Amino acid sequence: MPELPEVETVRAQLAGCLPGETITAAVVLDPRLVAPVDPAQFAAALVGRTVRDLRRRGKFLLVGLDDGDDLVVHLRMTGRLHWSPGPPEGDGRFRRAVIGFGDGGHLEMSDQRRFGTMALLPAGTPDPWHGRVGVEPLGPAFTARRLGDLLSGRRAPVKALLLDQRLVAGIGNIYADEALFQAGIHPERPGGALGGAEVRRLHRAIRDRLRAGIDNGGASIDSYRDTLGRRGSMQDVLRVHLHAGDPCPRCGRPIEKIRVAQRGTYLCPGCQPR
DNA sequence: CAAAGAACCTGGCGGC
DNA sequence: TGCCGCCAGGTTCTTT
């Protein structure tokens, strides 16, 4: 599923081909993608505008337009963006929108489960995230102290807190499992129960695993592909996620699968004591 | 306010 | 072979 490293991979790729290009055509095939905005109006509003830059906020992809507005894309669970230098060439089965550019290139959004969204964020919108998107885990504001402040006093399982985008932006099920394993922390430990050394280990592990995800071009477990339709390689180096029953790479005990915050959760009972 | 659970959606899979 | 029910998960909404 697209988490921060997968979105960052897509962002970096699009940053190499979209800036400077003008949108010459747009069609929204699935009204749900842009609801409650009318699909035809949404598409028409894009035509004629030029892409300025590509940014990312948590799991949101921001396509900056020349007038300062942002086209905000969220891939949710199965969303994909496919770039073609010529006519659309992606798998058309789950196609939800197509954007054509002046140089003949096309950007297609497909989404099997139809949870993904697109929206137009007007320039100068004050506090566009409205408290729903927390600190960037790879940014300078995400310190061990900051993480400790976010977890302190909380009784919810630390994994549930890591998945809460209002606290830290961009961590999903895969990277939460991997970071907690690397830090040696059981996912069901109450967030506020972590000691200072544990918080520091977790802080370090979150950044390390997210960077590993980016270095590997994302994790293609289910449907994730990059903008050229290629798989990432992070799935090949996961240590606990999806490895139920396999020996722990550190201590050899079998990896367990449990359920935390309604999510499949993988851990080593030896390395991550309760 | 915090925490937990349901809802949204659809392809794939196990079971019968 | 075919049908049923369940599972996957990011986010939002509802309930406790």
Side-chain angles (χ1 to χ4, degrees):
Chain A
M1 306 297 144
E3 305 179 25
L4 184 153
E6 288 73 31
V7 179
E8 178 60 24
T9 300
V10 168
R11 185 207 65 76
Q13 290 184 327
L14 294 180
C17 53
L18 291 189
E21 291 300 325
T22 298
I23 297 172
T24 54
V27 57
V28 175
L29 303 162
D30 181 3
R32 290 187 55 95
L33 181 67
V34 297
V37 177
D38 176 75
Q41 286 182 10
F42 188 93
L46 293 177
V47 174
R49 299 163 103 163
T50 299
V51 175
R52 187 156 66 185
D53 57 16
L54 283 111
R55 284 129 46 223
R56 181 190 56 72
R57 182 76 177 88
K59 299 173 191 172
F60 289 91
L61 177 70
L62 299 158
V63 182
L65 304 174
D66 52 8
D67 52 8
D69 291 2
D70 283 315
L71 171 62
V72 182
V73 183
H74 199 300
L75 301 174
R76 294 287 185 109
M77 298 172 52
T78 54
R80 284 193 211 176
L81 289 173
H82 191 279
W83 165 255
S84 313
E89 62 183 21
D91 176 5
R93 264 203 306 170
F94 307 116
R95 192 174 285 156
R96 303 290 180 224
V98 183
I99 298 174
F101 294 88
D103 67 346
H106 287 84
L107 184 67
E108 302 162 70
M109 174 152 181
S110 63
D111 188 0
Q112 179 192 111
R113 284 182 208 168
R114 303 175 66 205
F115 283 146
T117 57
M118 273 190 191
L120 213 43
L121 179 65
T125 303
D127 187 24
W129 307 109
H130 213 65
R132 290 197 294 264
V133 185
V135 62
E136 284 292 329
L138 295 182
F142 185 64
T143 59
R145 169 175 294 223
R146 179 70 176 276
L147 178 60
D149 289 345
L150 292 170
L151 299 179
S152 75
R154 304 292 297 262
R155 287 168 303 168
V158 59
K159 176 170 176 178
L161 298 172
L162 292 183
L163 293 176
D164 188 340
Q165 301 299 297
R166 295 170 298 185
L167 304 182
V168 183
I171 303 172
N173 206 32
I174 300 169
Y175 294 93
D177 280 357
E178 294 297 304
L180 286 165
F181 169 75
Q182 179 162 316
I185 295 168
H186 195 287
E188 288 185 307
R189 295 270 308 283
L194 300 197
E198 290 177 313
V199 171
R200 286 190 291 276
R201 289 207 306 272
L202 182 56
H203 169 260
R204 190 184 186 86
I206 288 168
R207 291 168 71 111
D208 182 75
R209 289 300 86 195
L210 290 175
R211 287 202 182 99
I214 294 171
D215 291 344
N216 279 283
S220 292
I221 286 171
D222 188 7
S223 62
Y224 170 74
R225 298 292 185 277
D226 69 13
T227 62
L228 301 176
R230 300 174 307 198
R231 302 170 66 87
S233 58
M234 185 66 188
Q235 71 280 0
D236 300 330
V237 295
L238 297 178
R239 308 204 264 230
V240 290
H241 190 78
L242 293 183
H243 280 286
D246 294 347
C248 167
R250 196 167 152 267
C251 76
R253 282 181 64 172
I255 301 300
E256 282 182 2
K257 181 181 182 183
I258 63 174
R259 203 142 184 98
V260 180
Q262 302 187 89
R263 295 288 172 258
T265 298
Y266 299 83
L267 67 121
C268 171
C271 300
Q272 297 166 268
R274 281 178 191 277

